[in-house]
Amino acid sequence: MSSAASAPGPDEPRDNAAGTTSTETVVLGLRPLEPAEVVAVARHGARVEVAPAALTEVGRARELIERLADDPNPHYGISTGFGALATTFIAPERRVQLQASLVRSHAAGTGPEVEREVIRALQLLRLQTLTTGRTGVRPVVVETYVAMLNAGITPIVREYGSLGCSGDLAPLSHLALAATGEGTVRDASGTEANAWDALLAAGIEPLVLREKEGLALINGTDGMLGMLLLAIHDLSMLLTTADVAAAMSVESQFATDAVFAADLQALRPQLGQGDSAANLRRFLADSPIIASHRGADDGRVQDAYSLRCSPQVHGAARDTVAHAALIASRELASAVDNPVVTVDGRVASNGNFHGAPVAYVLDFLAIAVADVASISERRTDRALDPARNRGLPPFLAHEVGVDSGLMIAQYAAAGIVSELKRLAVPASVDSIPSSAMQEDHVSMGWAAARKLRRAVDGLGRVLAVEVLTGSRALQLRAPLEPGPATAAVSALVATVSAGAGPDRFLSPEMEAVAELVLSGEVARTALAHSAAV
């Protein structure tokens, strides 16, 4: 699979609500997808093509399925029922109904609609497995999924229904159901429509599924993997933003930057820690505020942990993201189906649909997210406390006693951090048996992914409160001036926030700064105005 354009940067939109906006084309069937390609298709509407050689391999595997379909001996998923009904032989004349019944019955999601970018990732990742030639579907199935993605037809998938084993059955079933012209979808404009009508309007012939195809379309870890890849993309940007926010707090609270020195960091060669410390050095470089209290008389060598240990916490989160990216890359190189058509021409049952590898790292990331948000909120709280903020007014208020300043902004951050701690409780340690005890251990990976998405959004909002606080604190340090990077971020914040002054309706400013953080604009601005050190 190849990409015709570079990956979206951290300053680009998080969710393309409807329609196609990217000119990029992602080609499947040459190599495993790259994470950036998944983001490009899911979030930015990149088009999809399939390499001709991949379609040839798909057709070759289908020939084997056709031969087994004619075999009087039963073969799971081809001429038998599913799950606990795997020993039930299905006569040839009933197999089209079998596949349709499988998809209809398994499209049993309930609850709110899942976000469009998640569904598009789900579509793309299932399509990637189909193009490996290991599932036994006909080429027309592959072509239909490609056409749906490129037409912007997004099946409506519901929040609840997946146990993460046998993969994301219910969400994937909603996709397959739409491909047959049943169920509901949203078209390229985001309008809800009957699947049959939407397909025909786009010139797509609804599928009639044959042997093995229903099963091949619903057996995979694609939903949890898609959400993992989107989270990794967003967290990579947010952890840079966390370093920006920490730099603003260190600077505005008259803390020392000496603890971030490269030689001190090298004494503990943790990769993520080194990267975060380097960011803090570059974001604090050439700061008149830092220079104002640097030197032999500076007694600030024992700042509070939330300031001094920022690289250690942010770095540990970076290393966790790196581990999650490794697991995701392996999953991207996988052909997850059961049974699977092997390279040597067997059709073999397996357990590769179990979501444990993905579920574990989804939960691991939620832990890291909660901790990064926790240390950020502690830095914000210090900035508002006159006993600890080295000369700033209480709550950074304009007229103390009359004005409350950012007092309740910190409450909001604290409330989010509390929720993030709850979301950090692992989903993957739970298992509820299903399918008459045939599927007696499940991963809960979909649930782990859903809570991580909420956690990532929460982290962005906690960091936004720290950035807003740091910006106001730096303003109150005048006539001392911040360094170039933090000054640029403060100027960016000033485009949506009036800064220090009498109390006013604060929520719109908090939301606007949160958007600057979540869009990647804060990270991009800081990087653009700093030099490597």
Side-chain angles (χ1 to χ4, degrees), residues 5 65 75 153 182 210 232 234 266 268 336 374 403 444 485 525:
I65 298 299
H75 297 276
I153 296 174
E182 298 187 28
R210 293 172 52 181
I232 289 170
D234 293 340
R268 190 190 198 189
V336 178
S374 178
D403 294 317
M444 296 298 179
T525 298

Side-chain angles (χ1 to χ4, degrees), residues 44-415:
H44 302 285
R47 291 183 60 79
V48 174
E49 294 179 1
V50 178
L55 278 178
T56 299
E57 185 62 23
V58 169
R60 186 178 296 116
R62 182 63 197 182
E63 291 172 2
L64 174 61
I65 298 299
E66 299 282 0
R67 290 196 298 270
L68 293 177
D70 294 334
D71 189 342
N73 296 313
H75 297 276
Y76 177 67
I78 300 172
S79 54
T80 72
F82 311 106
L85 304 177
T87 59
T88 303
F89 181 78
I90 307 297
E93 64 272 15
R94 305 298 302 279
R95 290 175 191 167
V96 169
Q97 181 183 346
L98 170 69
Q99 300 301 315
S101 295
L102 173 72
V103 170
R104 288 168 181 156
S105 65
H106 284 48
T110 186
E113 287 185 40
V114 173
E115 303 85 5
R116 180 179 184 270
E117 66 177 21
V118 172
I119 302 170
R120 284 182 61 84
L122 185 68
Q123 290 176 283
L124 176 67
L125 292 169
R126 180 70 336 212
L127 179 57
Q128 176 183 239
T129 287
L130 299 180
T131 61
T132 64
R134 306 275 71 84
T135 68
V137 301
R138 292 167 295 154
V140 68
V141 176
V142 172
E143 293 164 345
T144 300
Y145 268 49
V146 168
M148 290 176 67
L149 270 171
N150 289 340
I153 296 174
T154 306
I156 290 178
V157 173
R158 300 292 174 181
E159 176 86 13
Y160 304 107
S162 175
L163 301 181
C165 189
S166 306
D168 294 315
L169 286 173
L172 285 165
S173 294
H174 282 271
L175 303 190
L177 189 71
T180 67
E182 298 187 28
T184 53
V185 301
R186 292 200 178 274
D187 63 19
S189 70
T191 302
E192 183 173 342
N194 174 277
W196 184 277
D197 294 337
L199 291 176
L200 294 185
I204 302 170
E205 183 73 20
L207 285 171
V208 176
L209 300 176
R210 293 172 52 181
E211 293 92 346
K212 177 69 171 62
E213 290 180 337
L215 195 59
L217 291 177
I218 70 174
N219 233 325
T221 57
D222 308 297
M224 62 185 91
L225 176 59
M227 286 184 276
L228 173 62
L229 291 165
L230 290 166
I232 289 170
H233 175 85
D234 293 340
L235 286 173
S236 297
M237 173 271 296
L238 285 175
L239 290 175
T240 298
T241 308
D243 294 336
V244 176
M248 297 177 79
S249 292
V250 167
E251 190 175 28
S252 63
Q253 294 175 42
F254 281 175
T256 181
D257 65 342
V259 294
F260 309 134
D263 61 337
L264 296 178
Q265 301 303 314
L267 295 174
R268 190 190 198 189
Q270 296 286 357
L271 299 182
Q273 175 182 325
D275 290 343
S276 285
N279 274 344
L280 281 161
R281 292 195 301 273
R282 71 186 295 182
F283 296 149
L284 292 170
D286 301 321
S287 166
I289 291 178
I290 293 292
S292 72
H293 57 81
R294 181 188 288 130
D297 296 332
D298 184 9
R300 300 171 180 85
V301 295
Q302 288 287 344
D303 290 317
Y305 287 6
S306 60
L307 298 168
R308 194 191 338 162
C309 300
S310 294
Q312 285 74 15
V313 174
H314 298 180
R318 286 176 178 272
D319 290 338
T320 303
V321 171
H323 172 64
L326 173 63
I327 299 302
S329 69
R330 293 170 179 166
E331 199 72 4
L332 279 171
S334 303
V336 178
D337 193 14
N338 180 53
V340 69
V341 180
T342 65
V343 175
D344 62 358
R346 294 175 293 116
V347 176
S349 293
N350 66 90
N352 287 339
F353 49 74
H354 199 290
V358 181
Y360 289 176
V361 293
L362 287 162
D363 281 334
F364 197 0
L365 286 175
I367 293 170
V369 164
D371 203 38
V372 172
S374 178
I375 197 171
S376 171
E377 182 276 330
R378 288 294 80 204
R379 292 189 298 257
T380 295
D381 186 63
R382 294 187 67 81
L384 303 180
D385 183 356
R388 296 177 290 155
N389 65 17
R390 302 185 192 271
L392 292 169
F395 307 107
L396 308 186
H398 177 68
E399 185 178 350
V400 177
V402 174
D403 294 317
S404 295
L406 298 180
M407 177 192 293
I408 307 304
Q410 182 269 330
Y411 283 31

